[in-house]
Amino acid sequence: MDKRQQFTQPGTRQVHIGRQPIFDTHGDIAGYELLFRGNTSAVEADRRDAYATSQVLVNAFTEFGLDEIVGDRMCFINMTREFLTGELILPFGPESVVLEVLETIEVDDAVVAGVSNLVAAGYPIALDDFVWGSGHERLLPLASYVKLDLPSCDPERLDEQLAFFRSFPGIEIVAEGLETLEHLALCDRYGIELRQGYVLSRPQVMTAACIPPFKSHRLELLAALDAAHVDIDRIVEIISSDPALTMRVLRASNSAAVGSIRRVSSIRQAVMLLGLGHIRRWTMLMNVDDVAEATEVQLTNALTRARLCHNLAPRFDSDPDAAFVAGLITAVAQLLGISPSSLVGHLPLTADIGAALTRGTGPLGRMLRVVDAYERGDMAMMGFNRGGDDLTGAVMDAMRWSAQTVAATHAPAGHEEVSWSREKALVAW
């Protein structure tokens, strides 16, 4: 279990992801396969469909953060037909990710064309559980990896098969399903480059608590991104109105797969850094990954704190947008039952926001202490407020703004943007 998240607070949910190492010939970890897991005790995946793939992607990139799960190593992720043919667009670049073609996929012209496009874009391809005569031979010229369930291979044909695979330049063999020392010896005998199986390491289920975005916000964001003339201000407004969406955008923009090392101090900067195309794709995956939602009260409280920080920022000579981000992260951390500092390493925050959240220093740190004191009713600590000004006006504005923001995104079911079904969202995609 991820040590950051051992308990689920009210209004949050637990997300899970399986991770099994892939080793090289020296016994070092060369990469990880990321696996769908519905709960902490799941030994095997109980589904391998677009929903499962979407959950793995959303959880890996926007809940945990890819760096935390795989570090600087490659990760192998199962792809369903929808992702291979382009029906569902991948929301990340090819860096650090290997796309696995499941053995259950029928390799027809559409799949070959889709995989060819992915390879042309730089994505490495692995053929999972390769079986002769399945039609997956058509993808060998495009593949970087072939995964063989070694225990089920015909020993009398293994020499011939491995020689054939290696006739394609750039292909590496991954022996999977290894359960005994004899299987490892067989890998050594044939010089198989990569190894995976229970004899080396069983999958580890990682668990974290998260705050799910409101479904209405996801659909509203998708509608705004689909508009004939995309309004950046509206995009930023929708994301800012939902703490979970904000955290996912920040984590996604920090992902190594996006290829960025820039720091941000506002939600607008994170949106521009990630790009509208990536945000649209992540939003689509979140609609496929149809999950439970946080409560309106918790959402309102989190937004109230963020807005209050925004309002107080000028009194501390701080940027209001940076103050909003700092306040929102502290509210999210409180909901998750963790410290704000534990989130900093997974978000592309500027140094002043990071210092405020980890050490409580700088103008933003002083501002956060005032907000904390107000929420505790600690009047003595209110001396940190510059000039000793009354906070009533700032607090009332924050409460009014957050209530109006939440109410505006919970329109009646007939509201055009909010009433979309998942099927309509998929058609819009």
Side-chain angles (χ1 to χ4, degrees):
M1 176 179 289
D2 185 345
K3 292 181 179 179
R4 291 182 304 129
Q5 311 291 352
Q6 296 190 22
F7 304 98
T8 303
Q9 302 295 321
T12 67
R13 68 180 178 97
Q14 287 191 329
V15 295
H16 314 281
I17 194 166
R19 183 186 73 171
Q20 186 174 26
I22 299 173
F23 297 86
D24 62 19
T25 56
H26 304 291
D28 296 324
I29 295 177
Y32 294 94
E33 181 176 3
L34 301 186
L35 308 161
F36 171 77
R37 291 294 185 267
N39 55 71
T40 56
S41 60
V43 177
E44 301 287 345
D46 57 3
R47 56 194 303 174
R48 301 178 78 187
D49 52 11
Y51 168 83
T53 295
S54 298
Q55 274 226 324
V56 169
L57 295 178
V58 170
N59 290 345
F61 284 88
T62 69
E63 298 298 355
F64 290 91
L66 198 62
D67 288 345
E68 180 173 340
I69 295 179
V70 302
D72 59 356
R73 296 176 173 86
M74 298 293 289
C75 68
F76 291 66
I77 302 178
N78 293 334
M79 292 289 123
T80 59
R81 181 184 179 88
E82 294 91 338
F83 289 95
L84 296 176
T85 60
E87 183 181 346
L88 290 174
I89 306 298
L90 294 172
F92 50 79
E95 300 84 1
S96 304
V97 179
V98 178
L99 310 181
E100 290 198 26
V101 180
L102 291 169
E103 72 280 5
T104 54
I105 293 174
E106 178 185 356
V107 178
D108 54 18
D109 291 343
V111 169
V112 173
V115 171
S116 297
N117 291 334
L118 290 170
V119 171
Y123 292 93
I125 300 295
L127 305 182
D128 189 32
D129 284 341
F130 189 90
V131 176
W132 290 96
S134 65
H136 285 221
E137 295 87 348
R138 297 181 63 184
L139 297 178
L140 282 171
L142 301 170
S144 297
Y145 302 89
V146 171
K147 301 187 76 175
L148 291 178
D149 187 352
L150 195 64
S152 64
C153 289
D154 183 353
E156 296 182 359
R157 297 194 59 198
L158 196 53
D159 276 309
E160 174 190 352
Q161 291 175 353
L162 291 175
F164 182 73
F165 292 141
R166 292 190 171 112
S167 68
F168 294 90
I171 279 186
E172 290 187 89
I173 309 299
V174 183
E176 58 182 352
L178 307 179
E179 297 184 354
T180 66
L181 294 178
E182 288 76 14
H183 293 156
L184 290 178
L186 199 59
C187 290
D188 291 336
R189 174 184 170 186
Y190 287 104
I192 294 178
E193 296 91 336
L194 299 170
R195 297 99 186 269
Q196 180 182 9
Y198 287 0
V199 69
L200 294 169
S201 178
R202 290 179 175 269
Q204 174 193 12
V205 179
M206 305 177 70
T207 299
C210 76
I211 307 169
F214 273 84
K215 184 191 299 184
S216 59
H217 291 183
R218 301 197 303 266
L219 294 176
E220 188 176 8
L221 180 58
L222 187 60
L225 290 164
D226 253 353
H229 301 287
V230 177
D231 184 347
I232 296 295
D233 290 336
R234 181 59 183 148
I235 300 300
V236 173
E237 180 184 354
I238 295 170
I239 293 172
S240 301
S241 72
D242 191 322
L245 277 178
T246 298
M247 296 300 293
R248 287 184 172 188
V249 168
L250 287 171
R251 280 202 182 98
S253 65
N254 194 48
S255 170
V258 178
S260 172
I261 57 173
R262 289 178 54 190
R263 306 283 98 182
V264 300
S265 61
S266 70
I267 296 171
R268 176 180 290 274
Q269 287 181 348
V271 168
M272 300 307 294
L273 177 61
L274 188 57
L276 295 180
H278 275 94
I279 290 175
R280 189 174 189 276
R281 294 165 190 172
W282 282 120
T283 306
M284 186 63 246
L285 286 192
M286 282 185 256
N287 283 305
V288 176
D289 171 31
D290 197 12
V291 296
E293 301 172 351
T295 69
E296 289 189 34
V297 171
Q298 290 169 324
L299 176 63
T300 302
N301 290 342
L303 292 177
T304 298
R305 180 179 175 89
R307 179 70 174 190
L308 177 57
C309 290
H310 176 278
N311 292 345
L312 295 182
R315 309 187 192 189
F316 293 85
D317 298 324
S318 295
D319 176 60
D321 290 335
F324 184 94
V325 170
L328 191 64
I329 290 173
T330 58
V332 169
Q334 185 176 27
L335 275 175
L336 297 178
I338 60 177
S339 67
S341 60
S342 64
L343 293 172
V344 171
H346 311 293
L347 305 174
L349 304 173
T350 53
D352 57 337
I353 298 178
L357 295 175
T358 56
R359 300 188 299 275
T361 58
L364 288 176
R366 294 194 295 274
M367 178 203 66
L368 290 174
R369 288 199 295 274
V370 168
V371 173
D372 289 338
Y374 171 79
E375 292 182 346
R376 294 193 308 268
D378 187 349
M379 302 308 295
M381 284 291 292
M382 298 301 289
F384 281 105
N385 184 22
R386 290 217 170 163
D389 294 337
D390 184 15
L391 296 184
T392 303
V395 172
M396 293 303 296
D397 173 83
M399 295 175 65
R400 182 168 51 250
W401 178 86
S402 61
Q404 290 173 348
T405 299
V406 172
T409 56
H410 287 74
H415 191 282
E416 180 179 1
E417 291 180 348
V418 177
S419 64
W420 279 7
S421 66
R422 184 191 305 180
E423 290 74 16
K424 290 182 180 178
L426 285 169
V427 170
W429 175 253

